[in-house]
Structures are given as C-alpha cells and as structure tokens.
Amino acid sequence: KSLAVFALAVAIWLFLQFRLRNERQNRNRLEQLVNARTTELQTQHQALTDAYRDMTLLQMLAKQITASLDLQEIVYLCQQSLHQIMDVHVLAIGIYQPERQVLQFSHWLENGQHMTSFELNLQPELHLASVCFNQQREVNIRQREEFLHYLTVIPAPVCGAPMQSVLYFPLTVNGEKIGCLSLQSPTRQAFSPQQTNLVRTLASNIA
C-alpha cells in the first residue's frame, strides 16, 4: 500500500512538472510572439513617421524652389533641408551650356560652404556627371570602387575631397535636358533607398 501511495505521489509530481514545463514554454512562445509583433508595429510606425517627414520636407522645398529663381539660393535651401535627414556633404547642380558642350557647376556646396565654380566636358565621358547627362540615367554609387560600373577609370576629384557615396539625377524640363543634380558623401553606403527616392523626387521638383 505504501508503494502504491508513493507511486501515485511520484506520478502526480511528474504530471505537475510536465504541466509547469509546458506552461513555461507556452508563456515563452507567447512573449516571443508579442515581442515580434511589437517590433513589427514599431518598425511600421517609424516607416510611416519617416514617410510623413519626407513628404512634408518635399512640400516645403517645392514651395521654396517655386518661389525662388536664384540657383544659389535653391542649392542652399536644398542642402539645409536635406542635411537634417541625411549626410549631404556635397550638393551640386550642373547646368548644361550647349554652346560649349559642358556642364557648369557655378553654385555648389561642400560641407555647407560655397565652393569655386567649375565646368565638366560632356565628351568624352570621363565623369559621372557627363554619364548622367548624356545617357539621361541615374547614377548611384555606394562605394568608390563602383565608379567603375560607369567609367573605365576612377577619376580624381575635380574639387574637394574624394567621395564614397554619390548620387546623380538628370534634370529635364518638358523633355529638354537642362542639367543634373548630385548629392555626395565621404561615407560608404551613405544613402538609403528611401533617401535616394526622396532625392529623385526632389530632382523632378527642381526641374
């Protein structure tokens, strides 16, 4: 009889341990699901917040650009606004000069400072700016070695320090090529896909 009582007690103890272990496992799984869902919601909320911020920034810039006819002021406004959300070490707008077949960069900023103007020949295509303009294609460089995706050699900087991340977007008005917009950073992979899309939209507003 004592053995039967002992065996029953052991069985009850084992059953309770099994139940407790299962409850702990279920609770851990539930906590993991809740944490994963919380992280997902936080990510979605951040994405919506960033999208609203970018839309507001674009609307503000569009109004300022429309109100201004001065290229130097437009470059400054764009740099100041974009610098709040990304690494805009260089912001430049090149304007097509058909009589000389060059892109003229009269107003451009490096590290917030106005720099000396310069020109780039459109032929031969020795620079990313000429590739962007001539081929009417976007250029997205995430590290300096990727210059070779567009050029046969990596060019030395025309002005300023070497850049790692480079964006170029063609500027057109009613289908007519007028120039290009560039953002550059000395940091590798400085521009996220969302930021690149923002600059793409800005380029259409500038033109």
Side-chain angles (χ1 to χ4, degrees):
K1 185 176 181 180
S2 296
L3 277 175
V5 171
F6 177 74
L8 178 61
V10 170
I12 293 173
W13 183 83
L14 290 173
F15 174 74
L16 291 175
Q17 290 299 312
F18 176 77
R19 286 284 303 275
L20 288 172
R21 185 171 65 252
N22 276 351
E23 288 179 3
R24 283 196 296 268
Q25 291 175 346
N26 289 334
R27 186 166 60 249
N28 288 337
R29 281 195 293 268
L30 180 61
E31 288 177 355
Q32 290 173 358
L33 287 172
V34 169
N35 290 336
R37 182 57 177 162
T38 300
T39 301
E40 180 183 353
L41 290 173
Q42 289 174 339
T43 301
Q44 292 175 352
H45 174 72
Q46 186 61 48
L48 288 172
T49 301
D50 291 346
Y52 176 77
R53 178 201 61 198
D54 292 349
M55 181 184 68
T56 303
L57 177 64
L58 278 174
Q59 289 175 340
M60 179 191 69
L61 271 175
K63 291 179 181 178
Q64 292 174 332
I65 290 170
T66 302
S68 175
L69 296 177
D70 181 57
L71 182 58
Q72 180 173 337
E73 183 179 0
I74 290 174
V75 170
Y76 180 77
L77 289 171
C78 290
Q79 196 275 343
Q80 290 297 304
S81 297
L82 293 176
H83 187 67
Q84 301 173 28
I85 60 173
M86 65 179 77
D87 179 17
V88 186
H89 188 80
V90 168
L91 191 146
I93 296 179
I95 300 300
Y96 176 45
Q97 302 296 333
E99 66 281 359
R100 298 198 305 278
Q101 287 297 296
V102 299
L103 286 172
Q104 184 177 40
F105 291 84
S106 296
H107 305 293
W108 66 286
L109 301 174
E110 181 167 355
N111 202 23
Q113 301 297 315
H114 289 281
M115 304 297 287
T116 304
S117 64
F118 64 94
E119 295 180 350
L120 293 177
N121 293 323
L122 291 173
Q123 294 293 343
E125 294 181 350
L126 301 178
H127 303 278
L128 294 176
S130 57
V131 171
C132 170
F133 182 83
N134 289 336
Q135 302 180 24
Q136 287 296 284
R137 63 186 294 198
E138 297 178 5
V139 173
N140 188 346
I141 302 292
R142 294 168 296 178
Q143 56 188 21
R144 193 158 177 79
E145 293 81 2
E146 292 181 0
F147 274 69
L148 297 177
H149 294 176
Y150 303 89
L151 304 169
T152 55
V153 296
I154 299 177
V158 177
C159 297
M163 296 292 113
Q164 291 285 347
S165 298
V166 180
L167 297 176
Y168 270 97
F169 294 92
L171 300 175
T172 61
V173 173
N174 298 324
E176 181 180 352
K177 300 186 292 186
I178 65 168
C180 61
L181 167 69
S182 180
L183 269 70
Q184 304 177 21
S185 167
T187 304
R188 292 189 174 204
Q189 301 181 3
F191 308 119
S192 70
Q194 293 79 11
Q195 292 170 341
T196 301
N197 188 57
L198 173 65
V199 180
R200 182 182 297 112
T201 306
L202 175 62
S204 65
N205 279 288
I206 290 177

